[in-house]
């Protein structure tokens, strides 16, 4: 008799877990998946290329509807689970659809943060989170001109770039003066700002949004300093929060995210969690690498292969934002005890910084030339003493190897 496995959430982390599980134990479970969106599983990271016109929705689908049928997986699209009856081990969706489980996985992802300002419910105010958001942006660009993107992080800049390609006049509003402050230091941010401005993107740095104004549709953004700008479309890209609403309502232990142990078990029997909804120790997760690691560990657990534990490790961010290459890892700001090695060639838009402590790399930021990112990252991970290669290290692995020959 097969066990019943129910997955709440049809996103990347949950479905990667199913993929890994099917490799390990294809016959162990009857699998049911609930997805709130009306599509199969797709690659959320590729929404930016769809907005920029480089990819179609079809090209970013990971599993189409036929795939679920071929794997004998029951998929309920467009259905949100609202109740979990832990006593009787069943889940119930908004429309009354129920499914029984022996084991249950929360893969509810995260929700975009919506600023708590007046006017946030006006038409034309959206986040940048799913296929529906992208469709709204593309449609709006056909009839409207002025877009305001709130948030100067990765997602905000990707949205701004895509909207510019769609023909809109775009301004990015950011409350600090450092763009992508999760990934860049001030020097790299300044280089990026200059390059994006040269491409026609506008910026309102050190601006705090106070209210969105308009009759039915958004017409203006007002800032805390009293200034205003016109807007036909406002995209909020100010971060995400783990979606714990259902877990909390069901009595599953949560803090910022759903609490899990080293095997992705929650503190409720037979219930697991994976992905952006998770809190492991004090960490929550937004990058795809740790999510896929978690998926592997959870699949091993569900397949009773055992022995595998999730270990949160330093992650590196390698990105191509609007055609610019970036790489950052570790503590790239440093403190009084650390020192910095910096190489900068402003005319070629190249900047490299290594932060050292006791002659070991503890952080790095690369802008414009990321060739050596993985090498620096492995030196960081291995806690390698770089004294011998210190004077050549900024010129990259190739130079260091040549000098050693």
């Amino acid at each position: 008799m097969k066990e019943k496995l129910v997955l709440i959430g049809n996103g990347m982390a949950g479905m990667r877990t199913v993929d890994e599980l099917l490799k390990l134990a294809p016959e162990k479970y009857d699998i049911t998946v609930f997805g709130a969106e009306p599509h199969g599983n797709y690659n959320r990271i590729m929404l930016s290329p769809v907005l920029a016109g480089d990819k179609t929705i079809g090209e970013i689908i990971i599993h189409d509807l036929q795939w679920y049928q071929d794997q004998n997986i029951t998929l309920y699209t467009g259905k949100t689970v609202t109740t979990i009856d832990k006593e009787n081990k069943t889940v119930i969706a908004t429309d009354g659809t129920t499914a029984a489980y022996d084991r249950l996985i929360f893969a509810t992802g995260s929700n975009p943060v919506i600023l708590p300002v007046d006017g946030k419910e006006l038409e034309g105010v959206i986040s940048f989170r799913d296929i529906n958001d992208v469709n709204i942006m593309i449609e709006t660009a056909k009839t409207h001109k002025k877009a305001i993107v709130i948030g100067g992080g990765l997602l905000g800049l990707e949205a701004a770039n895509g909207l510019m390609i769609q023909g809109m006049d775009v301004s990015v509003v950011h409350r600090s003066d450092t763009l992508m402050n999760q990934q860049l230091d001030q020097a790299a941010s300044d280089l990026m700002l200059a390059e994006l401005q040269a491409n026609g993107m506008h910026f309102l740095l050190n601006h705090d949004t106070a209210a969105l104004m308009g009759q039915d549709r958004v017409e203006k953004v007002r800032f805390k300093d009293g200034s205003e700008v016109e807007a036909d479309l406002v995209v909020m890209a100010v971060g995400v929060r783990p979606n714990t609403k259902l877990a909390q309502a069901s009595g599953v232990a949560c803090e910022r995210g759903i609490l899990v142990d080293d095997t992705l078990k929650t503190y409720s029997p037979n219930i697991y969690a994976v992905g952006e909804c998770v809190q492991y120790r004090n960490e929550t997760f937004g990058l795809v690498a740790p999510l896929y690691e978690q998926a592997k560990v959870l699949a091993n657990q569900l397949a009773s292969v055992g022995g595998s534990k999730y270990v949160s490790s330093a992650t590196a961010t390698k990105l191509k934002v609007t055609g610019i290459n970036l790489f950052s890892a570790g503590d790239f700001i440093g403190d009084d005890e650390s020192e910095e090695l910096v190489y900068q060639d402003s005319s070629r838009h190249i900047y490299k910084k290594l932060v050292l402590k006791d002659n070991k790399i503890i952080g790095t930021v690369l802008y414009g030339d990321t060739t050596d990112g993985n090498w620096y990252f492995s030196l960081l991970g291995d806690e390698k003493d770089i004294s011998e290669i210190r004077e050549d290290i900024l010129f990259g692995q190739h130079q260091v190897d040549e000098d050693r020959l």
Side-chain angles (χ1 to χ4, degrees), residues 115 146-153 155-157 160 170-181 193 201-212 220-225 227-231 233-239:
L115 295 176
K146 189 101 184 97
I148 299 291
V149 176
I150 302 175
L155 215 55
L157 296 178
V170 185
S171 296
V172 176
V173 171
H174 195 47
R175 56 193 301 189
S176 84
D177 56 0
T178 313
L179 294 175
M180 286 185 61
N181 38 319
L193 178 65
M201 205 178 282
H202 307 295
F203 290 88
L204 294 160
L205 299 179
N206 296 312
H207 275 64
D208 236 338
T209 307
L212 306 174
K220 281 183 181 173
V221 180
R222 173 180 288 160
F223 301 109
K224 288 190 177 164
D225 64 4
S227 62
E228 293 177 355
V229 289
E230 286 180 16
L233 177 72
V234 172
V235 180
M236 290 205 195
V238 290

Side-chain angles (χ1 to χ4, degrees), residues 1 3 71 82 92 98 106-107 144 171 174 197 202 276 291 297 318 321 325 353 370-371 379 381 393 404:
M1 196 48 191
E3 286 185 75
Q71 305 294 331
T82 47
I92 306 158
T98 60
F106 278 97
H144 294 77
S171 296
H174 195 47
Q197 282 173 326
H202 307 295
E276 291 189 341
L291 303 191
V297 172
K318 190 169 192 171
V321 185
N325 290 307
K353 175 166 97 170
T370 57
T371 323
L379 293 174
I393 194 166
R404 284 175 159 182

Side-chain angles (χ1 to χ4, degrees), residues 226-389:
S227 62
E228 293 177 355
V229 289
E230 286 180 16
D232 303 312
L233 177 72
V234 172
V235 180
M236 290 205 195
V238 290
V240 294
R241 284 197 191 104
N243 178 2
T244 59
K245 190 177 168 192
L246 177 63
Q248 277 181 316
S250 314
V252 175
C254 299
E255 284 174 9
R256 280 180 306 143
I258 302 171
L259 294 173
V260 294
D261 67 10
D262 298 343
T263 59
L264 284 308
K265 272 194 191 110
T266 68
Y267 293 91
S268 296
N270 305 311
I271 299 180
Y272 305 80
V274 67
E276 291 189 341
C277 61
V278 156
Q279 180 179 333
Y280 171 72
R281 307 212 166 147
N282 278 321
E283 267 187 283
T284 56
F285 305 88
L287 296 171
V288 81
L291 303 191
Y292 281 179
E293 277 299 308
Q294 290 173 11
K296 209 169 227 167
V297 172
L298 178 51
N300 282 347
Q301 182 66 22
L302 293 168
S304 308
V305 176
S308 126
K309 293 195 166 173
Y310 180 67
V311 180
S312 170
S313 55
T315 48
T317 317
K318 190 169 192 171
L319 304 165
K320 200 180 179 85
V321 185
T322 64
I324 300 163
N325 290 307
L326 314 169
F327 182 95
S328 68
D331 174 9
F332 56 80
I333 302 297
D335 57 25
D336 296 343
E337 318 259 287
S338 62
E339 49 179 337
E340 295 175 1
L341 301 180
V342 176
Y343 169 89
Q344 187 157 0
D345 182 344
S346 301
S347 63
R348 286 167 59 217
H349 303 291
I350 290 174
Y351 170 80
K352 304 178 184 184
K353 175 166 97 170
L354 296 173
V355 180
L356 308 179
K357 211 173 242 185
D358 304 324
N359 274 314
K360 292 171 187 163
I361 298 175
I362 59 165
T364 178
V365 176
L366 307 177
Y367 178 93
D369 174 7
T370 57
T371 323
D372 290 296
N374 291 337
W375 180 54
Y376 293 143
F377 187 55
S378 69
L379 293 174
L380 181 153
D382 297 342
E383 297 187 11
K384 199 164 169 52
D385 188 310
I386 59 130
S387 310
E388 286 182 21
I389 55 173

Side-chain angles (χ1 to χ4, degrees), residues 178-204:
T178 313
L179 294 175
M180 286 185 61
N181 38 319
Q182 302 279 324
Q183 289 89 7
L184 300 180
D185 64 359
Q186 191 64 52
S189 164
D190 291 346
L191 273 174
M192 177 173 233
L193 178 65
E195 220 167 324
L196 293 175
Q197 282 173 326
N199 292 340
M201 205 178 282
H202 307 295
F203 290 88
L204 294 160

